[in-house]
Amino acid sequence: MNVLVDRMVEQGLIDESAARGVLGLLAKGELPTRALLASGLAEDALLRFLAHEFQCPYVELDKCSFSKEFLAQFPARVLLDKHVIPLDGNNGDLLTVISNPFDTSAIDELRLATGRDFQIALAPLADIDECIKQYLGVGADTVQSMISEAGENGFQVIDTDSDGDMDLTEAAEGASIIRFVNQVLTEAIGLRATDVHIEPFENTLRVRYRIDGVLQEASVASEVKQFQAAIVSRLKILSKLDIAEKRVPQDGRIKIRIADHEIDVRVSVIPMLYGEAVVLRLLDRSSILLGMDKLGMSERDLDLTKMILERPHGIILVTGPTGSGKTTSLYAALSQINDVQRKIITIEDPIEYQLHGINQIQVSRKAGLTFASGLRSILRHDPDVVLIGEIRDAETAEIAIQASLTGHLVFSTLHTNDAPTALTRLVDMGIEPYLVASSLEAVAAQRLVRVICPHCKEQLTTSEAMVLRQRFGNKLPDVLYKGKGCKNCQETGYRGRIGIFEMMLVTDDIRSLIIENASARDLRRVAAKQGTTSLREDGFRHIYEGRTTVEEVLRVTKDDTFQENSFSDNTAKR
């Protein structure tokens, strides 16, 4: 070891002081790898040095490909317990990738289990574990425990037609089942997922995470299928649902804490052809609330929003599908006007962010507290500003309008595709057009587009850009970007999202059209003349600024006002 330490000093990897520290730790019996890392040298640099000294390969696992058939030749227990991954060498030899060249017990176990010989290769421990998780599946170690426990305890596969074969409560409380569910939730939160989908099929149980608005399949061992019912039952127990009821949908909630983050999990269970499917919506209550200037608005829309927020009364609507960032935008607006002189009360389902200084009410249908009934009570608490989580019916819409007409500033959301359609939707609910016209101040439609990953951002090649220019003419910027894909973005090329907006101010001209019961198309035409940009136009602004791609904008928007090859020149100017 002294020779290795001397060689590290000679090569400038560590200085004399660090070398003395390493030798001191070794003298006290510290493990060699830990002692060497205590010098402050990065693990990958140390392993590259050791690979050169021991004349063995250093492997960049993110550039290697594996097949499940190849890995199936080796005992999963050994790979998981010893943190090793087998690899085909260039000359046909089998390599065992390890992170500690001073401990070869893993290679000995593989030799005994397979009767084959292996050569050593080195890679960082985190890369090895990530590779094992990717190819063996999330919670692979737990799956092995589940299978082992099943063999020891006479564990029986649950048939959906014969639930009497197994005590579901006992199975769901098994240590391995609990650990597997915890691992799925932990990985989903670590990957910034907003939803977890657990979907049963004939021979598999598929797990998918929605990351940045797009579903990505998680690698899960095929053996998990036989524990499907126990996994679902575990989630039902956590969310206080009836585990014996499998014929009707059920909804519940779970509160968990991971690394000082309080996560509110909304649980939806629906019976499917091959068992019950579960969707978990993950809401991080400790998420950092964005300011108005961080939402992605253009200068025009941001100035317009700040002007609207200064109005004493009226309704401000934010529209868009589920998961389009409506609540985040509304909370940012409330934070902008939150001061000691205003009383702000919200009624939400669920409360997604906890806002200091704002009174927040959670809807409880079981207790009879709905948006409509809660809103009536709110108005008796002398509020200046009211946030209604969502206008779902005519009763809630009528109370909201009455509140705005009696001196309150009301914020709410509506599920429509664009801003003009929100006006006609209220009329379709049964609200008189003159009430809609007199109460509404502004409508903002929004979507979220994925942002190009900054770690793998690169310029499009000439041929790639030419394909897009043939479709959109000269309305695209001179330079276009994309994400190549890397570990930081799970190889998608995108990391994070930003908003695109269609901000429509309800002017006198718009009010006249509402009273005349005009169509959404007519409203859109007038709004465009007054400076309202469509969602697609606003999305192209982000393309000009190098934040996102053409494909991403086209994925989340459609254009009703003009053809794709005739974008407004305003897009380039913004």
Side-chain angles (χ1 to χ4, degrees):
M1 285 301 300
N2 288 6
V3 175
L4 281 177
V5 175
D6 291 341
R7 293 273 294 156
M8 292 172 71
V9 174
E10 290 174 8
Q11 296 182 22
L13 296 176
I14 60 175
D15 57 23
E16 292 286 353
S17 175
R20 287 193 296 271
V22 171
L23 293 174
L25 290 172
L26 290 170
K28 294 178 181 179
E30 182 61 271
L31 297 175
T33 303
R34 290 183 181 177
L36 291 170
L37 287 173
S39 67
L41 187 63
E43 184 184 15
D44 61 336
L46 172 62
L47 292 177
R48 288 179 189 275
F49 165 76
L50 293 175
H52 179 268
E53 294 297 315
F54 294 156
Q55 297 183 350
C56 64
Y58 176 88
V59 181
E60 296 183 17
L61 288 173
D62 58 337
K63 297 180 180 178
C64 300
S65 60
F66 300 83
S67 68
K68 290 187 176 181
E69 292 76 15
F70 172 74
L71 292 179
Q73 303 173 47
F74 310 98
R77 178 189 57 79
V78 176
L79 306 187
L80 295 162
D81 291 347
K82 297 295 184 179
H83 303 280
V84 299
I85 192 86
L87 183 67
D88 267 327
N90 294 330
N91 56 359
D93 293 337
L94 281 174
L95 299 177
T96 299
V97 185
I98 58 177
S99 63
N100 182 4
F102 303 100
D103 180 7
T104 59
S105 60
I107 298 176
D108 295 336
E109 286 203 39
L110 284 178
R111 284 173 178 160
L112 285 172
T114 63
R116 303 166 75 175
D117 198 14
F118 296 86
Q119 302 298 320
I120 290 177
L122 300 181
L125 178 61
D127 291 356
I128 294 172
D129 288 343
E130 179 64 29
C131 193
I132 291 174
K133 183 175 71 174
Q134 180 180 355
Y135 289 97
L136 294 186
V138 59
D141 54 339
T142 304
V143 173
Q144 294 297 313
S145 300
M146 288 155 63
I147 294 171
S148 176
E149 289 172 8
E152 294 172 3
N153 303 326
F155 195 88
Q156 297 291 322
V157 176
I158 300 175
D159 188 330
T160 54
D161 295 325
S162 56
D163 292 340
D165 289 346
M166 180 180 178
D167 185 337
L168 280 179
T169 304
E170 183 179 346
E173 295 290 1
S176 295
I177 294 292
I178 292 173
R179 190 161 65 249
F180 177 79
V181 171
N182 292 349
Q183 286 174 326
V184 168
L185 288 171
T186 301
E187 181 181 59
I189 292 166
L191 292 174
R192 303 175 296 107
T194 55
D195 301 86
V196 179
H197 294 243
I198 301 173
E199 305 161 309
F201 295 95
E202 184 175 9
N203 299 313
T204 60
L205 183 68
R206 183 169 70 177
V207 178
R208 294 192 289 175
Y209 304 139
R210 188 176 294 280
I211 303 172
D212 292 333
V214 177
L215 283 171
Q216 299 178 25
E217 186 165 2
S219 178
V220 175
S222 58
E223 294 87 351
V224 169
K225 172 64 179 178
Q226 60 185 296
F227 306 100
Q228 170 185 319
I231 292 168
V232 174
S233 295
R234 172 62 184 166
L235 291 168
K236 284 184 176 180
I237 289 171
L238 288 174
S239 50
K240 298 178 175 58
L241 301 179
D242 184 357
I243 67 170
E245 180 56 75
K246 297 186 175 185
R247 299 165 297 175
V248 297
Q250 297 187 69
D251 295 312
R253 283 198 178 94
I254 307 171
K255 284 186 180 180
I256 59 177
R257 185 181 294 277
I258 296 179
D260 295 328
H261 286 267
E262 186 177 319
I263 310 293
D264 188 12
V265 184
R266 282 189 286 175
V267 183
S268 175
V269 182
I270 298 180
M272 300 288 183
L273 179 61
Y274 294 107
E276 291 175 291
V278 184
V279 173
L280 310 172
R281 165 60 65 89
L282 309 177
L283 302 171
D284 189 346
R285 290 177 174 268
S286 57
S287 294
I288 298 174
L289 190 62
L290 296 177
M292 291 294 298
D293 57 340
K294 302 295 184 183
L295 298 177
M297 287 184 176
S298 65
E299 288 186 18
R300 179 258 182 191
D301 289 349
L302 186 58
D303 291 341
L304 189 59
T305 301
K306 290 179 179 178
M307 180 193 73
I308 294 167
L309 292 178
E310 293 175 358
R311 299 192 175 178
H313 55 78
I315 295 180
I316 300 170
L317 287 179
V318 180
T319 76
T322 300
S324 60
K326 300 186 298 296
T327 303
T328 300
S329 296
L330 284 175
Y331 281 175
L334 288 184
S335 297
Q336 182 82 16
I337 61 174
N338 183 20
D339 57 41
V340 71
Q341 284 136 8
R342 288 187 180 93
K343 176 156 185 175
I344 303 175
I345 305 180
T346 74
I347 179 164
E348 308 167 63
D349 184 23
I351 297 172
E352 295 188 22
Y353 296 90
Q354 296 176 358
L355 303 176
H356 178 72
I358 293 178
N359 302 275
Q360 296 175 271
I361 301 171
Q362 170 74 56
V363 166
S364 176
R365 293 182 186 82
K366 291 181 179 178
L369 178 57
T370 63
F371 280 116
S373 63
L375 187 52
R376 289 194 189 92
S377 299
I378 286 174
L379 296 179
R380 293 192 287 271
H381 265 246
D382 187 31
D384 298 295
V385 180
V386 176
L387 167 65
I388 308 167
E390 182 184 345
I391 293 179
R392 296 178 177 174
D393 51 45
E395 184 181 11
T396 306
E398 287 173 357
I399 300 171
I401 287 175
Q402 292 302 321
S404 70
L405 294 175
T406 54
H408 302 89
L409 187 60
V410 179
F411 295 86
S412 191
T413 68
L414 202 61
H415 286 276
T416 62
N417 290 326
D418 54 28
T421 308
L423 308 179
T424 58
R425 174 66 59 83
L426 290 173
V427 175
D428 291 341
M429 282 184 174
I431 308 301
E432 292 294 336
Y434 74 91
L435 290 176
V436 176
S438 58
S439 60
L440 271 181
E441 294 294 332
V443 182
Q446 80 171 75
R447 298 289 189 277
L448 294 175
V449 293
R450 292 181 292 175
V451 176
I452 299 171
C453 175
H455 302 282
C456 59
K457 184 176 181 179
E458 64 180 21
Q459 187 174 332
L460 259 63
T461 63
T462 303
S463 58
E464 290 173 326
M466 187 177 298
V467 173
L468 294 173
R469 295 189 195 286
Q470 288 175 348
R471 182 176 181 184
F472 297 103
N474 61 356
K475 303 303 180 183
L476 293 175
D478 295 334
V479 180
L480 294 167
Y481 296 94
K482 69 175 181 179
K484 183 180 179 180
C486 64
K487 289 194 297 185
N488 295 288
C489 59
Q490 290 81 52
E491 305 297 332
T492 62
Y494 300 95
R495 183 175 176 85
R497 289 187 290 177
I498 197 167
I500 59 175
F501 298 86
E502 180 183 39
M503 182 69 67
M504 189 180 79
L505 186 65
V506 181
T507 61
D508 289 340
D509 290 339
I510 297 291
R511 295 185 202 280
S512 298
L513 289 174
I514 296 172
I515 292 173
E516 294 170 5
N517 214 5
S519 66
R521 183 177 294 274
D522 292 335
L523 292 167
R524 187 180 299 112
R525 187 179 299 112
V526 172
K529 290 179 181 178
Q530 296 176 351
T532 298
T533 54
S534 69
L535 288 166
R536 177 160 294 183
E537 281 184 299
D538 200 47
F540 266 67
R541 173 177 58 86
H542 287 304
I543 296 172
Y544 268 86
E545 296 171 1
R547 294 194 189 98
T548 192
T549 63
V550 175
E551 294 81 5
E552 183 64 9
V553 172
L554 299 183
R555 182 181 70 86
V556 300
T557 66
K558 73 171 187 174
D559 193 16
D560 293 326
T561 58
F562 36 69
Q563 297 297 318
E564 289 175 347
N565 59 0
S566 61
F567 280 102
S568 168
D569 290 336
N570 291 334
T571 305
K573 294 175 183 177
R574 299 175 76 200

